Every structure is written in C-alpha cells, then in structure tokens.
C-alpha cells in the first residue's frame, strides 16, 4: 500500500498547485486539449463546414430554379392540361367526378365548426360530393358537439358522414385508412383532405380537380397554406417565415422541375387509385403523409403544387404546441428515411436521378443535415473554438455561407425581412429540439412514434384569452423551464465570457445574444413572447 500511495500517478506540476482549484483545472485542460480536444474539434469543424456547403448548394440551386420559374416559367395551367369542368346536358351531374372530403379530428373543440362549415360550403354538385368527418375524439362533450354539428349540416341537405372508431390505432393515418374502407367511398374518384383547422375557399375543388381529371399521370394536387394568425405574436411570424420558404420555394421547385415533393398532410386532393396502388395509408412513422407521397412517387405518379390556391389555417401560438409539432415534423422524416432508404435504392420504376434527388436532396440535406448543422455548428462547435483558439473556422464558413443561406431563406416572406435577426435566433434555439428529434428518428429511439395533436385555439379572441389563461395558471416549476435550452444558454454565456476575458475570436456579442434567446425559451412555456401589434 505504501508503494502505491507514493507512486506519482499525476505530473508533479499538478501536486504543486493542488490547493488552487482554478490552476489545477487549467493544467488538466492544457494536458487534454492538445492530444484530444483539438483533433476532435478540428474534425467537427470540417464535418460542419462540409454540411454547410451541402446546404448552401441546395439553397442556391433552389434559388436559381425559382428565379428562372418566376421569370420564364410556365404556370401550372400551361405545364398540365387544364380546362374547367362543364355541364353535360345528357349526363347531367354524373359527368362530374365523385369527390370525398375527409376531415380527421381529435378533440378539436375550438375549430371543428370552422372546418366542417368550410367543407360543407365547398361549391360542387351536391350529389357528387361526400363530406366525411373522422372523429377520434376521446372527450365525450367534444364528440357530442361534433356529431350534432354534422347532423345540423345533414338537415340542410349536405351529404355528410360522421364516422368514429373504437380506438385511435394508427392515429391520423389509421383514421384516414378506415375512412376509405366504407362502402360509399367505392364510388369516389378523388379525396380532398383537410385537417380540423383548415378552411378551404368554396371554389377549391373547381380549381384543383380539373388537373386530376385531365392529367391521368397526376396523383396529387397540393395547395398552399395561408395563416389566419400569422400576426398574433412574434413566434407566429417566425413560423410564417419558415413555412413560406417551404411552400414558395421548396414545394414550387419540386413541382416545376417534375421532381419529388412531399404531401403536407392537408389541403390537398389525391387520386384514390394512386393511394391504393401505393399501398394505402401506413402508420409506421408520424409523417404518414410523406410516407404515402414517397411510395406513390416510387410507383411513377406525379405531383402538382398550386401556389395560387391558398387554404386558411392556424399556426401554433404556444411554445408547447409548437415544440410537439416540430418534434413530429423532425423525427418523422428522419425515421422514414431510415425505413425507406433501401426501398428507394432498390426501386426499378423511377430513374437513378430521381432516386438521388429523393435520398440526397429531399431527405438527407433538408430533413437531416439542415437540422444538425444549425445546432451543432452554430450552437456547439463555433462557440467551442473560443475555448480552443488553436482551431479556426474560415470566415467563409462562419460568416459568408450562413449569411447567404439566411437571406435565401428569407425571400419567401419579404414583409418580415426586418425580423430576420429574431428569426435566426429563434431557429437556432429550435434547432436543439429538432436535432434531438432527428437523432431519435434515425436511431428509432424513445419518442420516435409520439403523436400529440397540435393545439388549436380558434379565432384571435380565443387566442388572446387562452394565452392569458395559460400564463395565469402556470405554477409548477417543471412546466415552466426547459433544461436543455437552459444548459445550452449557460454554455453559450460561458463561451462569451471567456471570449471577452481570454479570446480573440470576437464572437462574444453573438454568444451573449444567442444565450439570451435560449434563456427566454428555456424559461417560457407560453411562447407568444412579443405581440406584433
């Protein structure tokens, strides 16, 4: 024992300063930094720069395409055959295709009247349309209200069906799948799908169905979303910027180049034959809409995005609802990528170029790389270079590429350009949540199949009263804080302080502002933050 106790297991310099904890830490840090931390950080910087370049090329490509489309591109009516459907004297209304309108809902007490009313108000021959309300509600009061609303419209002559299930198996995918099994659906050619907060204009079917009627190769016509509460608060404005880019650029480019783009799960019309050929609805992931679209695309079907047709809906106006939504939207695609990658590679019906587009561009870059590089590079690696000055990030990777990517993302919502800084901070904070969800999907871990319906609050007055009520009843500490966001904020704040004291990277202003953003979200559960009025 004496021999062991007198053996020098640590350098003499350590023992010489054992009474000074700060100096001890500095010595340990100096000993592990060169052989361990520096190589790991250099590799991380290289990988993050590579991912940044991938994302940069993708964004520039889409910007070039969308610019050419706006300048010289043909409208959908020119790319595909389109003629208004006309009356036939001999056939009468039977000349019009039979359309099914599905409204899946789950405890949608605040918005069920809006969606059912909008669907029943669609302008289409009354004997050629069936409105199907798929109610999975577990709240008996809500279920009773929805049933009464359906009966009210039925008394007005609307062909409306109220369908319930014994369980919520498969969630939304299960409800849509069961809805198509009813005998009266066999006479339908097309199905329009609207989530419970979506309100289509009366002429929606007249503007979308003709594309499917005159172009047998089309399986889906996807409309754009229009947000009724975009101006409610700063958080909804941030969401509008992200979603506007998705629709006005990503979906538009995919449609114009005849490449693949995903179904958004609502505000679209499907050819029922295409759904059946693709294998129907599946509940293996939380993005059943994207799953169906990929499988239909592998069967050779084409999709059309109609940016001129907009359907009103509601954005999540609380941070809690938005976090649940973003978890599903990030985890689901990553998990679907894991499940379908080999299936896409082995497919023989589509070209190699289309396979590469779906695997690399649609899934890998947009659904995996975009989330990971935002968090790992800008929140973890870049601040870490302050602590390790031996590792440098080139200016083109730290400043120029991120600036260009940010500006290209902002083109979809020019009215919000003055909010660009807030959008950057908000996206960086949410990238933590999205990155975690992406890895859960890729590894098929814990919450991979978590499905929580996004909370809707109805009209603007309900939004305000609900927000006030929510703030009033927040009492539990665990309901008010998010530890991961607070930990990230503390890390950024520490790096900022170190940069001021010892560093020469001059990132401290960015680090402090970003840390402040993480702290705001970490201590906030309401999420409305700042009213835009």
């Amino acid at each position: 024992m004496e021999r062991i106790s007198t053996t020098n297991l640590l350098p003499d310099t350590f023992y010489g300063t054992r009474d000074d904890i700060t100096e001890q830490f500095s010595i340990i840090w100096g000993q592990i930094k060169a052989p361990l931390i520096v190589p790991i950080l250099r590799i991380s910087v290289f990988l993050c720069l590579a991912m940044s370049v991938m994302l940069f090329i993708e964004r520039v490509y889409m910007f070039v395409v969308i610019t050419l489309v706006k300048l010289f591109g043909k409208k959908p009516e020119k790319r595909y055959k389109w003629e208004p459907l006309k009356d036939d004297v001999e056939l009468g209304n039977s000349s019009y295709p039979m359309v099914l309108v599905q409204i899946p809902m789950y405890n949608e007490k605040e918005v069920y009247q809006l969606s059912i009313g909008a669907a029943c108000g669609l302008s289409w021959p009354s004997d050629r349309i069936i409105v199907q309300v798929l109610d999975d509600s577990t709240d008996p009061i809500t279920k009773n209200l929805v049933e009464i609303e359906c009966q009210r419209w039925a008394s007005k002559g609307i062909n409306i069906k109220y369908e319930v299930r014994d369980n919520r198996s498969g969630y939304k995918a299960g409800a849509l799948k069961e809805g198509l099994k009813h005998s009266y659906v066999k006479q339908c050619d097309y199905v329009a799908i609207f989530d419970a907060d979506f309100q289509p204009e009366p002429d929606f079917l007249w503007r979308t169905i003709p594309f499917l009627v005159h172009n047998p190769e089309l399986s889906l016509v996807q409309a754009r979303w229009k947000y009724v509460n975009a101006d409610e608060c700063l958080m909804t404005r941030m969401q509008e910027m992200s979603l506007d880019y998705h629709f006005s650029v990503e979906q538009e480019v995919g449609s114009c180049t005849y490449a693949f783009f995903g179904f958004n799960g609502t505000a679209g019309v499907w050819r029922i034959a295409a759904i059946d050929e693709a294998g129907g609805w599946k509940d293996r992931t939380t993005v059943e809409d994207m799953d169906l679209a990929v499988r239909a695309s592998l069967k050779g079907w084409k999709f059309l995005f109609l940016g001129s047709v907009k359907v009103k809906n509601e954005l999540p106006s609380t941070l809690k609802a938005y976090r649940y939504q973003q978890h599903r939207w990030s985890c689901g695609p990553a998990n679907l990528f894991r499940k379908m990658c080999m299936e896409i590679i082995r497919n023989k019906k589509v070209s190699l170029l289309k396979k590469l587009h779906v695997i690399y561009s649609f899934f890998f870059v947009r659904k995996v790389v975009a989330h990971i590089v935002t968090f790992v590079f800008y929140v973890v690696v870049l601040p870490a270079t302050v602590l390790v000055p031996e590792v440098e990030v080139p200016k083109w990777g730290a400043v120029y590429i991120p600036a260009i990517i940010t500006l290209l993302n902002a083109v979809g919502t020019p009215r919000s350009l003055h909010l660009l800084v807030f959008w950057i901070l908000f996206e960086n904070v949410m990238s933590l949540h999205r990155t975690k969800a992406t890895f859960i999907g890729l590894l098929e871990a814990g919450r991979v199949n978590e499905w929580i319906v996004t909370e809707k609050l109805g009209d603007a007055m309900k939004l305000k009263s609900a927000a006030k009520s929510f703030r009033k009843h927040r009492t539990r500490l665990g309901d008010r804080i998010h530890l991961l966001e607070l930990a990230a904020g503390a890390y950024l704040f520490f790096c900022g302080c170190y940069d001021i004291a010892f560093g020469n990277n001059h990132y401290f202003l960015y680090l402090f502002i970003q840390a402040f953003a993480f702290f705001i979200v970490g201590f906030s559960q309401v999420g409305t933050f700042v009213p835009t009025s």
Side-chain angles (χ1 to χ4, degrees):
M1 288 295 294
E2 184 178 350
R3 178 177 297 177
I4 294 175
S5 63
T6 57
T7 302
N8 270 337
L9 298 178
L10 293 172
D12 292 336
T13 52
F14 181 87
Y15 286 103
T17 57
R18 57 178 174 232
D19 295 328
D20 188 338
I21 297 176
T22 303
E23 193 170 346
Q24 289 179 17
F25 177 79
S26 299
I27 293 172
I28 295 173
W29 173 248
Q31 289 175 341
I32 67 172
K33 184 168 68 170
L36 183 64
I37 303 298
V38 171
I40 291 176
L41 191 56
R42 280 178 176 158
I43 293 173
S44 300
V45 168
F46 173 78
L47 293 176
C48 287
L49 289 176
M51 288 190 290
S52 294
V53 170
M54 294 165 63
L55 189 60
F56 173 75
I57 293 173
E58 178 75 7
R59 292 290 190 265
V60 170
Y61 160 74
M62 287 193 289
F63 175 75
V64 170
V65 173
I66 200 67
T67 301
L68 294 175
V69 167
K70 296 297 183 183
L71 293 176
F72 310 108
K74 296 180 180 179
K75 293 183 178 181
E77 293 81 2
K78 300 295 183 180
R79 298 199 311 270
Y80 291 95
K81 183 180 179 182
W82 190 91
E83 294 178 2
L85 300 180
K86 300 178 181 179
D87 294 332
D88 189 301
V89 178
E90 296 182 0
L91 298 177
N93 285 343
S94 61
S95 63
Y96 294 95
M98 195 75 179
V99 178
L100 176 70
V101 179
Q102 288 186 316
I103 310 174
M105 56 176 58
Y106 173 73
N107 294 336
E108 311 282 3
K109 187 176 181 180
E110 292 78 10
V111 294
Y112 73 93
Q113 286 182 310
L114 297 174
S115 57
I116 294 175
C120 292
L122 287 169
S123 174
W124 197 254
S126 58
D127 59 339
R128 307 300 292 172
I129 185 172
I130 302 173
V131 177
Q132 185 186 65
V133 178
L134 304 169
D135 190 11
D136 276 355
S137 298
T138 54
D139 175 25
I141 296 177
T142 301
K143 182 174 285 190
N144 185 54
L145 290 172
V146 174
E147 185 175 11
I148 292 174
E149 183 70 8
C150 292
Q151 292 172 352
R152 187 173 74 85
W153 283 102
S155 66
K156 295 182 178 182
I158 300 297
N159 188 0
I160 185 170
K161 308 289 185 182
Y162 176 70
E163 306 291 356
V164 296
R165 301 188 293 164
D166 296 333
N167 56 70
R168 288 190 69 213
S169 176
Y171 303 107
K172 180 180 174 181
L176 294 171
K177 184 176 182 179
E178 287 297 315
L180 292 177
K181 290 181 178 179
H182 293 282
S183 58
Y184 57 82
V185 176
K186 294 180 180 179
Q187 58 183 312
C188 298
D189 304 293
Y190 310 107
V191 54
I193 302 171
F194 301 102
D195 282 351
D197 60 316
F198 278 71
Q199 306 162 54
E201 296 295 331
D203 64 348
F204 177 86
L205 296 178
W206 292 110
R207 299 178 67 181
T208 55
I209 294 294
F211 283 104
L212 294 166
V213 170
H214 298 306
N215 302 275
E217 73 277 16
L218 281 178
S219 64
L220 165 70
V221 176
Q222 172 71 61
R224 184 170 175 172
W225 298 0
K226 180 181 179 181
Y227 321 107
V228 297
N229 64 329
D231 292 326
E232 179 64 24
C233 63
L234 190 57
M235 193 185 75
T236 53
R237 288 289 290 271
M238 302 299 99
Q239 294 177 64
E240 181 192 35
M241 292 179 71
S242 299
L243 287 170
D244 276 351
Y245 178 82
H246 168 69
F247 283 107
S248 63
V249 179
E250 290 181 343
Q251 298 291 74
E252 191 71 66
V253 168
S255 180
C256 293
T257 57
Y258 303 96
F260 171 77
F261 67 89
F263 173 45
N264 294 113
T266 179
V269 187
W270 275 92
R271 189 186 301 273
I272 294 180
I275 296 178
D276 294 337
E277 186 181 347
W281 294 100
K282 294 185 178 181
D283 60 359
R284 55 182 174 175
T285 70
T286 56
V287 283
E288 74 293 324
D289 45 10
M290 188 181 296
D291 188 348
L292 176 62
V294 173
R295 287 184 281 113
S297 177
L298 294 179
K299 294 292 183 180
W301 290 98
K302 295 181 179 179
F303 308 150
L304 172 64
F305 173 71
L306 275 183
S308 59
V309 178
K310 300 179 181 180
V311 181
K312 293 187 292 185
N313 69 101
E314 180 183 320
L315 291 166
S317 56
T318 67
L319 180 62
K320 181 179 180 180
Y322 186 61
R323 282 166 60 91
Y324 282 133
Q325 183 199 70
Q326 291 303 296
H327 174 85
R328 190 171 76 246
W329 285 7
S330 302
C331 179
N335 190 233
L336 183 63
F337 179 45
R338 170 193 171 114
K339 293 179 184 297
M340 291 205 67
C341 187
M342 292 308 300
E343 183 180 340
I344 296 170
I345 292 173
R346 289 193 295 263
N347 184 273
K348 297 180 180 179
K349 278 196 172 184
V350 298
S351 65
L352 177 61
L353 185 62
K354 191 166 187 176
K355 291 180 186 179
L356 288 173
H357 171 76
V358 175
I359 292 175
Y360 173 77
S361 180
F362 181 79
F363 274 117
F364 186 62
V365 176
R366 299 185 204 172
K367 309 302 181 184
V368 177
V369 167
H371 300 323
I372 294 176
V373 72
T374 302
F375 174 69
V376 174
F377 190 29
Y378 305 120
V379 181
V380 179
V381 172
L382 197 60
T385 60
V386 172
L387 307 177
V388 187
E390 293 89 341
V391 179
E392 294 184 1
V393 179
K395 187 173 287 187
W396 60 265
V399 179
Y400 300 143
I401 281 184
I404 294 173
I405 291 176
T406 300
L407 290 174
L408 293 179
N409 272 279
V411 297
T413 316
R415 81 183 188 100
S416 296
L417 282 175
H418 63 291
L419 299 174
L420 200 56
V421 173
F422 296 101
W423 180 80
I424 294 170
L425 296 173
F426 182 68
E427 286 294 294
N428 285 352
V429 173
M430 291 310 302
S431 69
L432 166 60
H433 198 60
R434 294 179 185 131
T435 300
K436 182 180 71 171
T438 298
F439 278 113
I440 289 174
L442 290 173
L443 301 176
E444 211 154 23
R447 296 167 57 198
V448 66
N449 289 319
E450 179 185 65
W451 182 283
I452 297 178
V453 175
T454 304
E455 178 188 25
K456 291 102 178 177
L457 298 174
D459 57 53
M461 292 301 293
K462 290 180 181 178
L463 280 167
K464 294 176 182 178
S465 62
K468 291 177 181 177
S469 173
F470 202 72
R471 283 192 288 268
K472 190 183 298 182
H473 291 90
R474 290 185 302 156
T475 55
R476 293 175 54 192
L477 181 64
D479 291 336
R480 295 202 303 267
I481 65 173
H482 302 293
L483 294 178
L484 286 177
E485 280 83 350
L486 293 178
Y491 166 71
L492 289 165
F493 185 79
F494 171 77
C495 292
C497 292
Y498 189 93
D499 194 26
I500 290 178
F502 309 105
N504 56 4
N505 290 334
H506 308 299
Y507 293 150
F508 62 89
L509 185 59
Y510 158 74
L511 294 171
F512 285 145
I513 295 174
Q514 188 64 72
F516 182 64
F518 270 98
F519 287 142
I520 290 177
V521 175
F523 282 115
S524 175
Q525 183 66 18
V526 177
T528 51
F529 303 135
V530 181
T532 55
S533 58

